[in-house]
């Protein structure tokens, strides 16, 4: 009985501490609206438009997924995570390809959400397409602030896209903007840049940050061979853990999976410490690699 009483007292203390933490958190600022049935908050952080979507019931520790680009594009995984108790965060830093100036705004956004509003200090970073540049560049500088990395057909080398220096189509206008946003003096300087995600994995691997990528093996915009494949090979060589889910015959679009459960379970496992109970589901239209 004494042991049971101690356990109950400890549990009540934890719950009480949690309620106390909630009570001390700042209220979300800005405009309140809805997002697929969830409460959405639109406000400004460091001069940039920001969005936070609340789950109906937040998990302990207040885990969150931080989407880098294209808010509400192919949102199945985000919606499933909201249903599981994750918050969803997004900050608009313009089409700036994960450049250092953009990541300074990310630093402020992270500090606001974790410090003032009590979200987890190790969010899942989600990089869809060019969003891959943001999540890897920020993670390499903030390895103690990342729970896991989720790339969806992610750009891992801007020479591939938008540079178009490999087998992909490229985007000349975006390639010029990359050079401007990174303050390169010439295309040659951009091509010699040693800080693309595929080149800057050592600190992320040393921190043992788990990685999952979804990709289409027929992608001719962000070819997986020049991005995800190279990154995965190098990450594994550095001792990092990476899980790949390939979609046979699929191009750059559509993003995501027919059933986002594998991605959701991966993120929940690494950012909330809880694995969803197994459930019967139809076979995925994606092949694990």
């Amino acid at each position: 009985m004494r042991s049971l009483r101690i356990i109950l007292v400890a549990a009540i203390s934890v719950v009480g501490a949690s309620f106390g933490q909630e009570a001390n958190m700042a209220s979300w600022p800005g405009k309140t609206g809805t997002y697929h049935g969830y409460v959405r908050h639109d406000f400004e952080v460091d001069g940039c438009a920001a969005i936070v979507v609340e789950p109906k019931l937040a998990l302990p520790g207040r885990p969150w997924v931080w989407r880098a680009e294209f808010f509400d594009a192919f949102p199945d995984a985000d919606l499933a995570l909201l249903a599981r108790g994750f918050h969803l965060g997004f900050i608009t830093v313009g089409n700036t390809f994960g450049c250092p100036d953009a990541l300074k705004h990310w630093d402020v956004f992270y500090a606001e959400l974790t410090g003032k509003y009590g979200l987890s200090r190790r969010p899942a970073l989600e990089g869809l397409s060019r969003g891959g540049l943001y999540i890897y560049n920020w993670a390499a500088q903030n390895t103690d602030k990342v729970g896991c990395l989720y790339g969806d057909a992610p750009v891992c080398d801007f020479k591939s896209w938008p540079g178009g220096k490999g087998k992909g189509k490229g985007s000349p206008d975006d390639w010029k903007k990359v050079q401007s946003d990174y303050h390169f003096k010439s295309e040659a300087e951009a091509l010699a840049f040693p800080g693309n995600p595929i080149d800057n994995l050592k600190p992320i691997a040393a921190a043992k940050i788990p990685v999952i990528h979804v990709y289409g093996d027929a992608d001719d915009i962000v070819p997986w061979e020049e991005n995800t494949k190279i990154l995965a090979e190098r990450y594994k060589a550095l001792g990092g853990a990476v899980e790949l889910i390939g979609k046979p015959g699929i191009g750059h679009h559509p993003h995501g999976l027919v059933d986002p459960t594998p991605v959701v379970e991966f993120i929940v496992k690494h950012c909330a410490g809880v694995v969803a109970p197994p459930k019967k589901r139809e076979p995925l239209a994606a092949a694990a690699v």
Side-chain angles (χ1 to χ4, degrees), residues 34-84:
T34 60
Y35 175 75
H36 294 275
Y38 295 93
V39 176
R40 166 177 170 166
H41 304 280
D42 287 79
F43 53 104
E44 189 174 287
V45 174
D46 202 32
C48 300
I51 299 169
V52 169
V53 182
E54 293 187 82
K56 296 187 188 320
L57 181 64
L59 284 171
R62 293 167 68 81
W64 56 297
V65 57
W66 183 351
R67 178 177 271 241
E69 276 285 21
F70 308 114
F71 186 79
D72 199 35
F74 304 94
D76 289 350
D78 294 345
L79 296 175
L81 287 163
L82 281 164
R84 293 289 298 275

Side-chain angles (χ1 to χ4, degrees), residues 159-173:
K159 296 189 299 295
S160 172
W161 188 93
K165 303 306 179 181
K167 62 181 290 187
K169 298 176 179 179
S171 173
D173 289 342

Side-chain angles (χ1 to χ4, degrees), residues 211-284:
V211 170
I212 187 169
H213 279 200
V214 173
Y215 68 91
D217 68 4
D219 192 335
D220 61 354
I221 297 175
V222 183
W224 89 278
E225 299 95 332
E226 300 170 1
N227 292 272
T228 285
K229 184 179 181 182
I230 294 175
L231 183 141
E233 290 172 349
R234 293 181 179 181
Y235 201 61
K236 288 178 182 177
L238 291 166
V242 56
E243 184 175 325
L244 304 183
I245 303 176
K247 299 185 293 186
I250 301 299
H252 194 60
H253 293 276
H255 289 281
L257 295 172
V258 174
D259 177 358
T261 301
V263 169
V264 171
E265 290 182 348
F266 182 92
I267 291 174
V268 170
K269 175 182 178 182
H270 293 293
C271 295
V274 179
V275 179
K279 66 176 184 179
K280 185 177 180 180
R281 59 179 184 266
E282 296 300 317
L284 292 172

Side-chain angles (χ1 to χ4, degrees), residues 24-196:
N24 291 328
M25 290 176 198
S27 299
W28 295 108
K31 178 182 176 182
T32 299
T34 60
Y35 175 75
H36 294 275
Y38 295 93
V39 176
R40 166 177 170 166
H41 304 280
D42 287 79
F43 53 104
E44 189 174 287
V45 174
D46 202 32
C48 300
I51 299 169
V52 169
V53 182
E54 293 187 82
K56 296 187 188 320
L57 181 64
L59 284 171
R62 293 167 68 81
W64 56 297
V65 57
W66 183 351
R67 178 177 271 241
E69 276 285 21
F70 308 114
F71 186 79
D72 199 35
F74 304 94
D76 289 350
D78 294 345
L79 296 175
L81 287 163
L82 281 164
R84 293 289 298 275
F86 276 64
H87 284 72
L88 172 63
F90 178 80
I91 182 170
T92 301
V93 294
N95 180 32
T96 48
F97 310 98
C99 71
D101 292 341
L103 298 188
K104 291 177 184 177
H105 296 302
W106 271 48
D107 292 339
V108 178
F109 187 61
Y110 173 86
E112 285 274 302
L113 265 60
T114 59
K116 187 181 293 185
Y117 303 108
L119 297 192
S120 166
R121 295 190 175 275
R122 288 184 177 270
L125 305 189
E126 177 185 2
L128 187 149
S129 192
R130 69 192 70 181
L133 294 170
Y134 297 83
I135 67 171
Y136 276 99
N137 291 349
W138 195 80
Q141 300 173 19
N142 298 276
T143 55
D144 60 331
K145 300 179 177 70
V146 179
C148 69
L149 296 170
Y150 162 39
D152 189 315
V155 176
C156 305
D157 181 356
F158 58 48
K159 296 189 299 295
S160 172
W161 188 93
K165 303 306 179 181
K167 62 181 290 187
K169 298 176 179 179
S171 173
D173 289 342
D174 284 311
W175 181 229
K176 289 178 183 177
K177 193 170 187 304
V178 164
Q179 295 171 59
S180 173
D181 290 341
Y182 278 79
H183 306 296
F184 295 134
K185 295 183 177 64
S186 65
E187 182 181 61
E189 186 178 353
L191 293 173
F193 180 62
N196 271 286

